[in-house]
Amino acid sequence: MSKFLIYLVVLLAIKFSNSCEPPDCDRLDCGTCGNACCSLEFLLQPDPNTLNIMLSSLLQNSGPDNHYTFVSSSDLRPYNISCNFILQGIHTTLVKKYNDTLNFAIFPETSQKYFQSRMRAFSISQIGGAYCDDGQNYKNLIYLIKNLNIEYIENHVAGCQPPPRR
């Protein structure tokens, strides 16, 4: 009986030390990209330049949980391609201090009157063998977007499946 309790305590400790801190941890991924990952696309109200400035600033100021790091931002407009800006950041998880890489590509949105930008957002666990992420990669992305305090429409691309509709 005591071995069972010890085993149970160890399992629970592992579970809670590796888990995503709610809210927004309901979209876990298990190995979509070899490792755990999440790919989303957003329609957002600001124009691409303003969105790039807003997102860069949020990352440069450590994000809403003080665990984000700004890596780089590039202006691709001089190259006359469809993407205007690319950004990269890192998020360090709250519980175990693992790092996840974040990539963003910002495009002008011409098919909508209200939304002026379309952004592809991607998060992948950096640690080899992070097969399941307990929803952390989704949270990395949506937490930033929500803290821009702008209207958006979210579309799932890959990994981090939305929960089934009821």
Side-chain angles (χ1 to χ4, degrees), residues 99-138:
N99 291 328
D100 302 321
T101 300
L102 315 174
N103 290 297
F104 304 92
I106 301 172
F107 303 82
E109 178 55 51
T110 57
S111 68
Q112 302 277 328
K113 289 187 179 185
Y114 182 73
F115 295 104
Q116 298 181 61
S117 295
R118 180 173 43 90
M119 182 171 70
R120 292 185 193 145
F122 181 78
S123 177
I124 188 165
S125 301
Q126 284 185 7
I127 186 170
Y131 187 72
C132 294
D133 69 356
D134 210 22
Q136 186 64 54
N137 282 297
Y138 175 76

Side-chain angles (χ1 to χ4, degrees), residues 22-76:
D24 297 318
C25 297
D26 60 339
R27 307 247 322 245
L28 65 96
D29 181 63
C30 289
T32 296
C33 301
N35 254 11
C37 71
C38 182
S39 183
L40 304 170
E41 187 168 90
F42 296 93
L43 293 176
L44 302 120
Q45 197 282 322
D47 64 86
N49 187 55
T50 302
L51 180 59
N52 179 58
I53 291 167
M54 292 172 71
L55 187 57
S56 294
S57 176
L58 190 58
L59 289 167
Q60 289 166 350
N61 289 304
S62 301
D65 66 358
N66 292 317
H67 287 262
Y68 288 85
T69 304
F70 175 80
V71 175
S72 66
S73 175
S74 297
D75 184 347
L76 303 180

